[in-house]
Amino acid sequence: MSKNLQDTVTLHNGMNMPWLGLGVFKVEEGPELVQAVKSAIAHGYRSIDTAAIYENESSVGQGIREAMLETKIFREDLFVTSKVWNADLGYESTLAAYEASLEKLALEYLDLYLIHWPVQGKYKEAWRALETLYQEGRVKAIGVSNFQIHHLEDLMKDAVIKPMINQVEFHPRLTQKELLRFSKEQGIQLEAWSPLMQGGLLDNPMLKEIAAKYGKSVAQVILRWDLQHGVITIPKSTKKHRIIENAALFDFELTQEDMDQIDELNQNLRVGPDPDNFDF
């Protein structure tokens, strides 16, 4: 199990990806985001996750460049993810979307590029584009986001390359047991977005009790639970003290009993859209 913030998991293509990263969903372009990215990198984070639809790739890129100058960290030490939006799904349009993301980020390549949502009838062509980018060495790893088991099975029927990552909503109210098991069987690494359920679990009495026992915050307990399930996690924060707190996960371990108790909070409850029923 990961022992520190820079520990990585090896994806099925041999690429190493950090277990913990910074998410920037719903954070607007501007100095606050630039500073958040810089803070995260200065405090040991090596993975940053954005997406075209977040409309903040320019600030993420700026934060990365400034952090590299200030911390003497090289581009190859970092792991940067972005995602192609639904409107751009298609072979040529996905290739163009990748170039647009690179341009906004002002980077020469991405470490991971994902299909953001499984739009029926569109994700296979987009996947062909991702395979092309990968085979040409333009991106280090490719994957999907918000794919259910049936989407993955459908994609893999025609795919040359199996997705390396599936980034999904995952937290104690949505434990995704079957998807997690399927992903492990297939060698597809699961990654959690909205791991803290957008703050919706921070007042949970049982989690508070577990947290008190370890002298940790509820957020730290949930993020640790992710890691012990073998799930990569990317909590979002723009506040320096939270960014630091969210990373202090490597000096304690939840017992199996506590893991099971947290699992029992599951209600198959989503705070985000349902991948089988969305219209955007």
Side-chain angles (χ1 to χ4, degrees), residues 4-269:
N4 69 61
L5 178 50
Q6 284 165 22
D7 275 356
T8 56
V9 54
T10 304
L11 307 181
H12 74 64
N13 68 334
M15 260 296 278
N16 292 327
M17 178 170 181
W19 280 106
L20 187 78
L22 178 75
V24 299
F25 174 57
K26 282 189 173 163
V27 187
E28 288 180 9
E29 289 273 29
E32 186 188 24
L33 178 53
V34 173
Q35 196 48 55
V37 170
K38 286 168 66 174
S39 281
I41 294 171
H43 289 94
Y45 285 72
R46 293 295 174 262
S47 174
I48 311 285
D49 176 279
T50 183
I53 195 68
Y54 302 168
E55 298 186 336
N56 60 16
E57 289 169 312
S58 300
S59 292
V60 169
Q62 188 185 335
I64 289 169
R65 285 190 306 283
E66 290 184 16
M68 282 174 14
L69 283 172
E70 289 171 22
T71 55
K72 304 288 185 280
I73 284 165
F74 298 106
R75 168 66 184 94
E76 44 278 16
D77 300 326
L78 299 173
F79 194 98
V80 184
T81 303
S82 194
K83 314 175 193 86
V84 54
W85 185 242
N86 304 353
D88 294 320
L89 294 180
Y91 185 77
E92 293 298 340
S93 49
T94 295
L95 292 176
Y98 182 74
E99 297 304 333
S101 282
L102 281 189
E103 200 172 313
K104 285 183 182 138
L105 286 155
L107 297 173
E108 283 170 21
Y109 67 92
L110 286 178
D111 298 276
L112 177 63
Y113 197 45
L114 304 177
I115 293 177
H116 208 149
W117 286 89
V119 181
Q120 281 315 115
K122 285 196 163 181
Y123 59 73
K124 289 194 179 186
E125 280 301 285
W127 187 252
R128 271 205 318 122
L130 266 58
E131 289 179 330
T132 297
L133 289 165
Y134 179 72
Q135 286 161 331
E136 289 176 353
R138 304 285 325 280
V139 64
K140 307 285 185 190
I142 51 176
V144 294
S145 183
N146 302 303
F147 274 49
Q148 308 271 50
I149 292 172
H150 69 92
H151 296 124
L152 289 166
E153 288 174 333
D154 181 49
L155 183 72
M156 292 192 298
K157 277 197 294 235
D158 302 302
V160 180
I161 300 165
K162 191 187 280 193
M164 287 133 211
I165 291 280
N166 185 15
Q167 185 186 117
V168 298
E169 182 177 345
F170 179 91
H171 46 68
R173 291 276 188 228
L174 184 68
T175 55
Q176 304 261 30
K177 280 270 189 329
E178 288 76 23
L179 182 59
L180 186 54
R181 189 176 59 239
F182 178 83
S183 303
K184 284 182 175 167
E185 284 165 7
Q186 293 292 331
I188 299 169
Q189 175 63 47
L190 212 63
E191 178 179 12
W193 64 258
S194 202
L196 304 176
M197 203 180 156
Q198 294 175 6
L201 285 164
L202 300 182
D203 290 327
N204 180 277
M206 185 189 84
L207 289 173
K208 280 178 152 172
E209 204 174 302
I210 293 174
K213 187 168 87 177
Y214 292 94
K216 290 287 179 180
S217 69
V218 170
Q220 288 167 327
V221 164
I222 295 171
L223 296 173
R224 181 71 207 183
W225 170 84
D226 283 357
L227 298 181
Q228 286 183 223
H229 270 309
V231 175
I232 290 171
T233 187
I234 46 167
K236 179 198 101 175
S237 185
T238 54
K239 297 180 177 64
K240 183 176 164 182
H241 70 279
R242 281 267 181 274
I243 288 171
I244 296 169
E245 179 192 302
N246 287 346
L249 309 175
F250 302 97
D251 55 354
F252 76 110
E253 193 169 335
L254 297 168
T255 63
Q256 192 53 54
E257 189 186 359
D258 289 334
M259 289 291 290
D260 295 343
Q261 242 192 312
I262 297 170
D263 284 354
E264 281 164 20
L265 290 172
N266 182 51
Q267 298 174 340
N268 295 326
L269 183 69

